[in-house]
Amino acid sequence: MEEDDIYTKDGTVDYKGNPANKKTTGTWRACPYIIGNEGCERLAYYGMSTNLVLYFKHQLNQHSATASKNNQNWGGTCYITPLIGAFLADSYLGRYWTIACFSIIYIIGMTLLAMSASVDGMKPFCYSKDNCNPTDRQSTITFLALYLIALGTGGIKPCVSSYGADQFDDTDEREKIHKSSFFNWFYFSINIGALIAASVLVWVQTNVSWGWGFGIPAIAMAIAVGFFFAGTRLYRNQIPGGSPLTRLCQVLVASIRKYNVAVPADKSLLYEKADAESNIKGSRKIDHTNDLSFFDKAAVETQTDQLKGINPWRLCTVTQVEELKAIIRLLPIWASGIIFAAVYSQMSSLFTLQGERMDTRVAHSNFHIPPASLSIFDTLSVIFWVPIYDRIIVPTTRKFTGQKNGLTQLQRMGIGLFISIFAMVAAAILEQERLKIVKKHNYYDVKEMPLTIFWQIPQYFLIGCAEVFTFIGQLEFFYEQAPDAVKSFCSALSLTTVAAGSYLSSLLVTIVTSITAKDGKLGWIPDNLNHGHIDYFFWLLAGLSVANFGVFIGIAKWYTYKTAVGTVPLNQKEAK
């Protein structure tokens, strides 16, 4: 480093005082540490979670429906807690320290989970491999560990992708082009971690022990933290902008107070700071937009404001108003992702239970593939499609659309939603055929009926393809459309679609079970799926996906993109 580099308290380089030092921080030189951190963290997460529904069923002795619901509820919580991490990152800690602090909680949870599956007295007592009798205390320890992990991952998920994107300067056209590519390769690293988890770690859990199966992910998480801290001196940081909830509430209160005040036809008369930067630390100004005009009342300067001075609960800047508008516009897009997330969540629940009842042998040998390992084909699909999208689809579509990224983010997401319909159709058709064979040959009480588990590959592959379009598009969309001071919050908001999808799936399972399992009937999702009809459940999700796709098209046509003005200050800490 040069002698005139300026270092912040967390050790990162501040190039603002000397623009020449911009060449020593950020961009792709910083991103390998962030991508490496994410790959190892996702290996830890998926290594622990991919097979979790079978751990609940066989080690904690839970029924199929209960195991599925507990798995969905925990998975949903992992995607709700990012709201906590995002709030702290945007308001007070910044993304760097939020990731660092919550990583410690994550490692504690992973270590406790490994101990709950390996230490005598903490692990369930088993009469045989899949016949266990856990005590209430042992089950409690397991769930305590899992929900510590859920809290820990909540501080990391919303910050890492945004932190990586922060390394590229929006005002530098060369760096801005690379940002879109970063999101593709960031998601690629997620699936490299998931690939190892679904193959190696699931096999370890099934054939070696759950102690090692949970212990290796704990080690991977420690490596992830090492990756993150190794790049500290290369990172660019943004200033925490203060509590976004306070700013949003100020706009709401000011708008209501001035409900009878007319908004001027000349929008340049609305209140805004004369300075180049906005009144929100770390945020550029945002151009005024014409929709949601009721909130413009908060920026109308009245005689009372002029006489009594500026009160942020009575008068807000245009940028502050547009910050609220931007978040409100994101909500319908957010809602349209819930059904897709419910489809995606089937891989870790009903797909796994479906595969458990199929022939898990590889090429008629004595080697059995764990049912959860079929998710490897979802991962391989993503790994296949990310380079195809980045290197072929983007340059090709760019020639026709004129968009620098080929497709707009909303177009990309819509294609993924459309593909996900066929994933559910494939799963439903497979289950119908499986049940026909069960009925024809009376295989009801056979643990593995003679239909190879590899017939599940199409449904996994289609979901992987849909992910590349929907999840990566959503990740980029929520970052790009978020105002500068709430990027972590909006990234967390995009992640909560996964939580809502998991909760929706859990709710649907509960409703379906209560309706179909009456009067002695086993229902659609019994413990022995050979007596059930999860194909009906897959058809239900396919129908919901069709309706959701139609709604999304309408929302996408309505959406107004935000326009930022000026530059965002990077790598500058608030003066003490």
Side-chain angles (χ1 to χ4, degrees):
M1 297 293 176
E2 302 293 334
E3 291 182 358
D4 54 358
D5 283 344
I6 301 171
Y7 290 92
T8 60
K9 291 183 179 179
D10 60 10
T12 55
V13 180
D14 177 359
Y15 68 79
K16 188 175 172 67
N18 181 4
N21 294 331
K22 178 179 177 180
K23 296 180 180 180
T24 67
T25 62
T27 65
W28 283 110
R29 68 177 60 85
C31 286
Y33 298 98
I34 296 171
I35 290 174
N37 166 267
E38 181 67 5
C40 290
E41 187 274 328
R42 291 290 86 185
L43 188 155
Y45 178 83
Y46 287 117
M48 171 270 303
S49 64
T50 301
N51 215 18
L52 196 58
V53 68
L54 294 185
Y55 186 80
F56 288 158
K57 183 176 180 179
H58 298 307
Q59 302 296 305
L60 298 188
N61 198 25
Q62 296 179 350
H63 297 296
S64 292
T66 302
S68 178
K69 285 189 289 184
N70 283 336
N71 187 53
Q72 299 281 11
N73 289 336
W74 174 79
T77 303
C78 288
Y79 287 88
I80 284 290
T81 52
L83 292 173
I84 300 172
F87 175 79
L88 292 173
D90 284 336
S91 304
Y92 307 111
L93 298 179
R95 287 188 258 281
Y96 179 89
W97 282 111
T98 302
I99 294 170
C101 294
F102 278 80
S103 292
I104 304 303
I105 298 173
Y106 202 138
I107 290 177
I108 292 172
M110 293 293 293
T111 302
L112 183 59
L113 181 65
M115 293 174 63
S116 73
S118 58
V119 176
D120 289 337
M122 295 179 69
K123 67 178 182 180
F125 175 77
C126 298
Y127 302 100
S128 61
K129 182 181 178 182
D130 292 333
N131 183 16
C132 300
N133 185 26
T135 64
D136 290 341
R137 182 174 65 88
Q138 290 167 341
S139 295
T140 300
I141 291 173
T142 299
F143 280 98
L144 173 62
L146 287 171
Y147 281 90
L148 279 174
I149 292 169
L151 178 60
T153 193
I156 297 173
K157 281 180 186 291
C159 296
V160 175
S161 62
S162 298
Y163 198 49
D166 287 346
Q167 307 310 309
F168 300 93
D169 187 352
D170 269 344
T171 62
D172 186 318
E173 286 302 319
R174 291 184 62 188
E175 291 191 17
K176 190 174 182 179
I177 291 172
H178 289 299
K179 182 186 290 186
S180 180
S181 185
F182 162 77
F183 283 108
N184 288 327
W185 294 107
F186 176 83
Y187 205 80
F188 184 86
S189 75
I190 290 175
N191 283 274
I192 291 294
L195 176 65
I196 299 171
S199 54
V200 178
L201 293 183
V202 169
W203 184 88
V204 169
Q205 291 162 358
T206 305
N207 297 282
V208 180
S209 72
W210 285 99
W212 277 109
F214 290 151
I216 295 173
I219 295 170
M221 186 58 211
I223 295 172
V225 175
F227 260 116
F228 180 72
F229 285 120
T232 296
R233 294 169 68 87
L234 297 175
Y235 298 144
R236 298 175 182 174
N237 291 313
Q238 290 190 0
I239 309 167
S243 172
L245 293 179
T246 301
R247 294 196 302 274
L248 300 179
C249 288
Q250 286 172 343
V251 176
L252 287 171
V253 170
S255 300
I256 293 170
R257 280 182 167 181
K258 297 179 177 178
Y259 72 93
N260 59 350
V261 173
V263 178
D266 184 358
K267 299 304 186 291
S268 65
L269 298 176
L270 295 174
Y271 176 69
E272 182 58 276
K273 282 187 65 176
D275 300 341
E277 295 179 2
S278 75
N279 66 322
I280 304 170
K281 286 179 291 202
S283 178
R284 291 168 290 183
K285 291 182 178 179
I286 306 175
D287 269 347
H288 175 267
T289 55
N290 293 321
D291 58 343
L292 301 171
S293 58
F294 172 78
F295 298 109
D296 289 338
K297 295 177 183 291
V300 176
E301 192 170 8
T302 63
Q303 288 184 340
T304 303
D305 297 319
Q306 294 171 351
L307 291 174
K308 295 185 176 181
I310 304 301
N311 179 348
W313 292 94
R314 290 193 60 90
L315 181 65
C316 305
T317 64
V318 169
T319 294
Q320 198 172 335
V321 171
E322 291 301 322
E323 185 178 61
L324 175 61
K325 285 185 181 182
I327 293 174
I328 292 174
R329 288 190 202 100
L330 291 175
L331 294 179
I333 305 295
W334 170 85
S336 67
I338 295 175
I339 298 296
F340 176 80
V343 169
Y344 176 79
S345 71
Q346 300 314 306
M347 288 194 299
S348 62
S349 54
L350 290 183
F351 281 14
T352 301
L353 295 176
Q354 180 189 41
E356 190 182 27
R357 288 289 170 176
M358 300 176 73
D359 185 356
T360 60
R361 292 176 300 168
V362 177
H364 303 290
S365 67
N366 291 324
F367 179 81
H368 289 260
I369 184 171
S373 287
L374 261 290
S375 63
I376 194 174
F377 290 100
D378 162 74
T379 305
L380 290 172
S381 178
V382 172
I383 292 172
F384 171 78
W385 281 107
V386 164
I388 295 294
Y389 186 89
D390 197 60
R391 301 301 182 189
I392 297 177
I393 295 178
V394 169
T396 302
T397 54
R398 184 186 293 142
K399 296 176 182 178
F400 298 98
T401 64
Q403 293 281 338
K404 61 181 175 59
N405 295 329
L407 299 170
T408 67
Q409 294 141 5
L410 290 176
Q411 288 171 339
R412 181 175 185 173
M413 292 165 63
I415 292 171
L417 294 180
F418 182 71
I419 294 171
S420 70
I421 297 170
F422 296 97
M424 283 296 95
V425 170
I429 291 174
L430 173 62
E431 184 63 11
Q432 283 182 341
E433 295 303 313
R434 194 187 73 81
L435 290 177
K436 285 179 183 177
I437 296 173
V438 168
K439 182 177 181 180
K440 181 177 180 180
H441 298 284
N442 195 27
Y443 288 143
Y444 290 103
D445 296 320
V446 175
K447 183 178 180 181
E448 291 189 5
M449 49 85 65
L451 180 65
T452 178
I453 193 173
F454 292 107
W455 279 109
Q456 285 191 310
I457 290 176
Q459 62 207 55
Y460 280 103
F461 193 83
L462 285 167
I463 286 183
C465 181
E467 275 185 74
V468 170
F469 286 90
T470 297
F471 274 158
I472 303 180
Q474 182 175 279
L475 194 67
E476 183 180 358
F477 176 78
F478 275 76
Y479 179 86
E480 288 291 335
Q481 294 305 304
D484 294 319
V486 288
K487 286 190 180 295
S488 291
F489 174 80
C490 290
S491 293
L493 189 64
S494 73
L495 291 170
T496 58
T497 60
V498 180
S502 293
Y503 291 141
L504 174 62
S505 179
S506 178
L507 177 63
L508 289 174
V509 168
T510 301
I511 293 172
V512 163
T513 300
S514 64
I515 293 175
T516 62
K518 289 182 177 180
D519 303 324
K521 296 180 181 178
L522 295 175
W524 288 4
I525 314 174
D527 285 340
N528 183 348
L529 295 186
N530 292 339
H531 293 280
H533 266 294
I534 61 170
D535 53 325
Y536 295 167
F537 190 81
F538 292 148
W539 283 121
L540 173 63
L541 285 176
L544 290 173
S545 297
V546 171
N548 183 60
F549 177 67
V551 171
F552 176 82
I553 292 175
I555 294 172
K557 290 181 178 178
W558 163 83
Y559 187 80
T560 301
Y561 287 86
K562 79 173 180 70
T563 304
V565 180
T567 60
V568 57
L570 290 169
N571 291 23
Q572 182 177 327
K573 292 292 181 181
E574 183 178 0
K576 296 292 184 183

